[in-house]
Amino acid sequence: MSRSANEVTVLCAKAARGGGAPPEQATLFGRAALCHLAAGRDPALLRRALEALPGGPILHLPPLFMALAEAADRGEGPCALPGDLPLELLQSYAEAQPFLVRIDNQARQAQAIPTDPAPPPPTCRIALQPELEALLQSLAAKTLVPESEASRRAGAGAGLTDND
């Protein structure tokens, strides 16, 4: 099934939340996942990142890119990249940043460039692999609460006084 760019971003972010990622890291994963899939990169890397939660690249990459931005603000050069992270996933996260990032794959270094990046090209619909979509849906469902009186008493939904 094909989905819009927005649907892919939100579904991936919800799946990361369902897997245990904090909200900001989940949001960044959603944006990076869209870049990853739109570029035709290996979806198995996204699956492995989700399966590594509550650790792994979804938690470790956002602080790395924050450190790159801070290094650029201080006028410092490239920073070393951890050797255990797949370069394709690093590239997807770099493309999702609100600043330009140059990655040197040979030297395993990256540098934030203090300039506004070009706006991303329009993304057409994304066809998700069935295995990836099933994992995304399963993890995203963990963010929901059961529809019950007990849930409403605990504050879910409109509660017990829904009178609109």
Side-chain angles (χ1 to χ4, degrees):
M1 163 185 254
S2 80
R3 295 182 174 268
S4 71
N6 188 54
E7 288 174 312
V8 169
T9 302
V10 171
L11 179 59
C12 290
K14 284 178 103 173
R17 281 295 289 140
E24 184 62 21
Q25 282 88 342
T27 299
L28 292 172
F29 176 72
R31 291 198 320 249
L34 174 64
C35 293
H36 193 85
L37 294 168
R41 297 185 182 114
D42 186 4
L45 294 173
L46 300 178
R47 253 190 347 267
R48 284 197 291 272
L50 286 164
E51 290 165 351
L53 284 169
I58 294 174
L59 295 187
H60 298 129
L61 283 173
L64 170 74
F65 284 97
M66 186 183 305
L68 288 175
E70 291 168 353
D73 286 343
R74 292 188 302 269
E76 297 174 6
C79 298
L81 295 171
D84 60 340
L85 297 171
L87 290 172
E88 283 187 342
L89 195 55
L90 282 164
Q91 185 62 45
S92 299
Y93 266 85
E95 292 166 3
Q97 299 305 308
F99 50 86
L100 185 62
V101 178
R102 287 205 184 115
I103 295 179
D104 180 345
N105 293 338
Q106 301 294 7
R108 288 208 61 100
Q109 293 181 333
Q111 183 174 12
I113 309 299
T115 183
D116 291 330
T123 304
C124 56
R125 294 185 68 81
I126 304 282
L128 294 174
Q129 288 184 340
E131 309 84 37
L132 177 60
E133 185 163 12
L135 176 63
L136 292 171
Q137 294 287 2
S138 168
L139 289 171
K142 292 182 178 185
T143 64
L144 305 173
V145 296
E147 187 177 324
S148 68
E149 284 297 313
S151 296
R152 282 189 280 286
R153 278 195 303 275
L160 301 175
T161 60
D162 187 7
N163 61 2
D164 0 318

